[in-house]
Amino acid sequence: MDEITLLSQSLPDAPPPSAEATARARASVLAAAERASTPARKPARDRRGSRWNWGWAAGAALATATVVTTVIVLVSTMAPVAAPVLVRPTGIDLLLQAAENASRQPPADGAYWRRTQIGGGLLRTGEPPYTLRAEESTELWQPRDPATPGMMERRTRSVMPASPQDEQAWRAAGAPERVRSICPSGAGPCASVKVGAVPTDCSYWWTRDGHVPEYGVGKFTVEDLRKLPDDPDRLREALRPYHRTWSDNGFTQSFEDFLPSTASLLWMPIEPGTRAALLRMLATLPGTKVHGETVDPLGRPGISVSFDDARGTVSFGKEEVEIQGRTVIDLATGAPLADLDLAVDTGRIMGYEALESARWTDSAPQEPGNCEKAKS
């Protein structure tokens, strides 16, 4: 026997709720549901371009936050409870949720910041042409002390046919062990690559200037990054000197047009509060757009974001494919999962850079075996 029936049988003389009380209860439930389902703000237009780069190409468990609204209406002597209204964040609200989650991450410490990335791209080769998918890994050991040498290692992970049809065409061509990309007219011969699933072509080198490698905002030591503000407005002002450096070097981009490029700081060893401030600042830019939930090239769920609507091109054999950039962000931590170059006409991933891991450690880098030391 359910509770409502039990109460009605226990209190047979209790008067039913009046029509006015019932109407007021229904109105309260509907009003609450409407408020809960209204998004906080409308996402803006996408304006971001690409920054991924591959050797032969010119170009570049989602923790969904749920708002639960429970409306309890007292009617006469009874207390029925309306079903919870579940509201899923969308658009910019998803990015702001990622910022909130970033602010809750614990700070970390160590002598070295160790970051491993996996980059991938498509290679057009053969006659008739077929497509290969290539991947490489890059590992960075960045010391906290700028006087201590760091190290970078780059290794080709694999070069394999991109589809069963491409594998058939590769085998029909004699399954060549090494291939050359079809280069754009006038570009000259492209370097050959070895086809296979076994890592090859490893090289490493020591870094000694104390600056963290990044995509173009400016030169930062680890200490410079630790000093960046944890407030969006103060962070915005702290980035102005880096824009002035760009201007002094001949770039005519305005400060507002420069700001979307500061999303590259997400890939660097910034403090949790700074990461949260950066995401909140980026969320205010007119070109920032959240495209919804997605899965990155490593199969990890995240949210797809663009910070401007700039477009570029990537060479794909003799074709130039128009691309737009996307960043996949982990909603649970606010950390980047991957940068993507998507073909505008097909949505195909032409290239990507995925952050496999990033953490602080006290273990120093060691020269890797079976790896060639690059000339400095």
Side-chain angles (χ1 to χ4, degrees):
M1 183 180 297
D2 63 82
E3 291 83 350
I4 299 301
T5 303
L6 178 61
L7 284 172
S8 64
Q9 292 182 0
S10 301
L11 301 171
D13 297 326
S18 67
E20 292 181 355
T22 302
R24 286 196 303 271
R26 183 179 294 113
S28 298
V29 173
L30 293 176
E34 181 177 357
R35 288 194 302 272
S37 63
T38 302
R41 64 178 281 189
K42 183 178 179 181
R45 190 167 56 94
D46 163 29
R47 297 194 311 154
R48 185 175 183 272
S50 167
R51 64 185 179 186
W52 175 85
N53 186 38
W54 183 258
W56 48 75
L62 179 63
T64 304
T66 304
V67 180
V68 181
T69 305
T70 305
V71 182
I72 302 176
V73 182
L74 300 178
V75 180
S76 186
T77 58
M78 311 297 292
V81 180
V85 178
L86 304 180
V87 181
R88 253 179 128 75
T90 58
I92 293 297
D93 286 343
L94 277 172
L95 190 57
L96 294 175
Q97 183 63 58
E100 180 64 24
N101 293 339
S103 70
R104 297 172 181 168
Q105 300 303 304
D109 204 354
Y112 293 87
W113 186 61
R114 184 179 180 182
R115 182 181 73 190
T116 303
Q117 297 174 205
I118 298 176
L122 298 179
L123 165 69
R124 197 71 168 158
T125 188
E127 188 59 48
Y130 54 90
T131 301
L132 301 177
R133 178 179 289 109
E135 286 188 342
E136 71 173 11
S137 62
T138 304
E139 187 164 13
L140 166 69
W141 298 76
Q142 181 65 39
R144 183 179 296 278
D145 181 358
T148 301
M151 193 182 78
M152 288 195 73
E153 176 189 333
R154 177 170 289 128
R155 187 185 301 268
T156 300
R157 287 167 57 96
S158 63
V159 179
M160 296 293 291
S163 70
Q165 293 77 15
D166 292 310
E167 181 176 5
Q168 184 178 8
W170 171 68
R171 293 191 181 280
E177 183 177 347
R178 299 192 71 89
V179 298
R180 290 182 182 274
S181 172
I182 299 174
C183 294
S185 299
C190 286
S192 67
V193 294
K194 186 175 181 179
V195 180
V198 178
T200 60
D201 302 328
C202 175
S203 62
Y204 73 96
W205 60 96
W206 293 98
T207 61
R208 303 180 187 276
D209 69 352
H211 294 110
V212 184
E214 55 85 51
Y215 292 100
V217 175
K219 290 187 175 182
F220 296 89
T221 65
V222 171
E223 188 60 26
D224 292 335
L225 294 170
R226 289 171 65 90
K227 292 178 179 178
L228 289 176
D230 60 2
D231 173 78
D233 293 333
R234 290 191 295 115
L235 176 61
R236 181 188 181 99
E237 292 308 307
L239 294 171
R240 284 190 182 275
Y242 296 96
H243 172 253
R244 286 196 290 271
T245 299
W246 277 60
S247 298
D248 292 343
N249 288 330
F251 291 90
T252 59
Q253 193 179 44
S254 70
F255 180 62
E256 294 301 321
D257 289 336
F258 163 80
L259 284 174
S261 67
T262 63
S264 65
L265 293 173
L266 293 170
W267 290 73
M268 301 178 74
I270 55 179
E271 296 294 297
T274 302
R275 183 178 303 280
L278 179 60
L279 289 170
R280 289 172 178 139
M281 184 198 75
L282 292 168
T284 67
L285 301 183
T288 296
K289 183 176 181 180
V290 178
H291 302 271
E293 302 174 14
T294 189
V295 177
D296 84 336
L298 303 187
R300 301 169 297 184
I303 57 174
S304 175
V305 185
S306 56
F307 301 107
D308 61 31
D309 62 1
R311 299 186 178 189
T313 59
V314 61
S315 296
F316 186 55
K318 295 181 179 180
E319 301 177 36
E320 290 292 322
V321 178
E322 188 177 27
I323 56 172
Q324 281 189 307
R326 297 284 187 274
T327 298
V328 182
I329 294 175
D330 185 352
L331 183 61
T333 65
L337 295 175
D339 274 350
L340 313 177
D341 283 343
L342 301 183
V344 172
D345 57 347
T346 65
R348 187 180 192 183
I349 298 177
M350 302 302 297
Y352 70 88
E353 194 78 34
L355 182 63
E356 188 175 38
S357 65
R359 61 185 179 88
W360 285 98
T361 178
D362 287 324
S363 299
Q366 304 293 324
E367 294 189 353
N370 300 321
C371 198
E372 180 182 357
K373 186 175 181 179
K375 296 180 180 179
S376 56

